[in-house]
């Protein structure tokens, strides 16, 4: 499944501001919210529709309505920063949180929160995490969602490392990846370079 790197000028502009170490927490959250909204617009281009008519003041107009229920699946913590912007665009979404943290030694994801109900309640899942580094967190989340019974899953993030894209595509070739930029590489401690630092810390001031 191809990786979709946004070519939108607003995405490029906002991403550059987001990376800047002089950008404070408040501005960082605002930019992440706006980037999520713009990336969601691109990631939902193939959303299914069904015909729907409405009455305008002048009479009937044939139109459309979304026929798929969308679930946002933010990976805690940093994925939370992408939820608000998307909810503005898609007010009817369901939000299902998945708690994973990356063990600092092994870089392997450790699960700590999952309250998914027994059967799937959405048709499309958007996995939200600003950073696709080794890909371990995204791979584990998609595995959880597939086991849940989710049929259509997409990954939406801000930055990806080539290592993460390769790993996620190899583990889940059916999951499209939507990001603002594909960066150069991972460094020796698993951070994306040039990246933006630790997204969770910058989002939440820790
Ligand atoms: C960071 C980031 C991703 C993960 C990416 O989270 O927000 O969830 O690492 O790395 P991966 O692709 O190698 O799995 P972190 O573990 O720092 O947790 P946090 O969001 O709670 O800060």
């Amino acid at each position: 499944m191809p990786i979709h790197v946004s070519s939108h000028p607003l995405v490029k502009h906002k991403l550059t501001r987001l990376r800047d170490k002089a950008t404070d927490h408040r501005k960082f959250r605002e930019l992440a919210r706006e980037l999520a909204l713009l990336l969601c617009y691109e990631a939902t281009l193939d959303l299914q529709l069904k015909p729907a008519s409405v009455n305008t003041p002048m009479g009937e107009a044939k139109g459309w309505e979304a026929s798929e229920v969308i679930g946002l699946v933010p990976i805690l913590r940093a994925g939370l920063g992408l939820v608000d912007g998307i909810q503005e665009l898609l007010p009817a979404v369901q939000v299902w949180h998945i708690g994973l943290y990356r063990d600092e030694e092994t870089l392997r994801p450790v699960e700590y929160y999952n309250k998914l109900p027994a059967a799937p309640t959405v048709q499309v899942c958007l996995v939200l995490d600003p950073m696709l580094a080794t890909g371990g967190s995204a791979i584990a989340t998609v595995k959880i969602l597939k086991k849940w019974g989710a049929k259509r899953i997409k990954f939406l993030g801000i930055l990806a490392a080539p290592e993460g894209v390769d790993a996620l595509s190899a583990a889940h070739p059916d999951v499209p990846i939507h990001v603002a930029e594909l960066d150069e590489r991972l460094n020796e401690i698993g951070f994306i370079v040039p990246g933006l630092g630790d997204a969770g810390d910058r989002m939440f001031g820790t």
Side-chain angles (χ1 to χ4, degrees):
M1 194 55 75
I3 169 170
H4 304 271
V5 178
S6 179
S7 54
H8 200 297
L10 285 176
V11 170
K12 292 181 185 298
H13 175 90
K14 289 175 190 295
L15 173 62
T16 307
R17 295 268 54 81
L18 189 82
R19 289 187 193 269
D20 190 343
K21 68 179 183 185
T23 296
D24 64 18
H25 303 313
R26 183 194 177 109
K27 187 71 186 168
F28 189 92
R29 283 194 295 274
E30 183 183 313
L31 289 162
R33 195 182 121 270
E34 293 168 346
L35 281 163
L37 194 151
L38 293 165
L39 292 169
C40 177
Y41 173 80
E42 296 184 347
T44 49
L45 277 174
D46 62 352
L47 202 61
Q48 302 294 306
L49 294 171
K50 61 182 178 196
S53 296
V54 289
N55 292 312
T56 79
M58 309 300 289
E60 190 192 27
K62 294 194 191 319
W64 303 93
E65 66 183 22
S67 65
E68 294 177 298
V69 182
I70 299 177
L72 305 185
V73 186
I75 304 179
L76 304 177
R77 295 174 299 165
L80 286 177
L82 306 183
V83 171
D84 285 2
I86 298 180
Q87 275 185 313
E88 274 176 40
L89 201 61
L90 304 168
V93 289
Q94 298 181 12
V95 184
W96 295 104
H97 304 84
I98 296 290
L100 290 177
Y101 70 88
R102 203 167 64 150
D103 183 289
E104 285 178 9
E105 300 280 309
T106 64
L107 298 183
R108 296 299 307 150
V110 182
E111 186 178 332
Y112 63 88
Y113 185 85
N114 174 358
K115 290 281 184 190
L116 289 169
T121 53
V122 300
Q123 273 93 48
V124 183
C125 286
L126 294 181
V127 175
L128 308 179
D129 193 331
M131 310 300 270
L132 184 65
T134 66
S137 305
I139 290 169
T141 302
V142 172
K143 193 172 162 200
I144 291 167
L145 294 174
K146 284 186 174 173
K147 198 171 156 210
W148 186 41
K151 293 281 178 283
R152 220 145 76 82
I153 304 171
K154 296 173 181 235
F155 178 88
L156 192 156
I158 293 178
L159 289 181
E163 294 88 337
V165 173
D166 290 349
L168 179 56
S169 310
H172 301 292
D174 53 325
V175 174
I177 301 169
H178 292 265
V179 287
E181 189 59 281
L182 178 60
D183 265 8
E184 286 164 26
R185 63 185 171 88
L186 285 184
N187 69 8
E188 55 291 343
I189 55 164
F191 273 62
I192 298 176
V193 179
L196 49 75
D198 186 312
D201 284 351
R202 293 194 66 184
M203 198 95 68
F204 298 112
T206 51

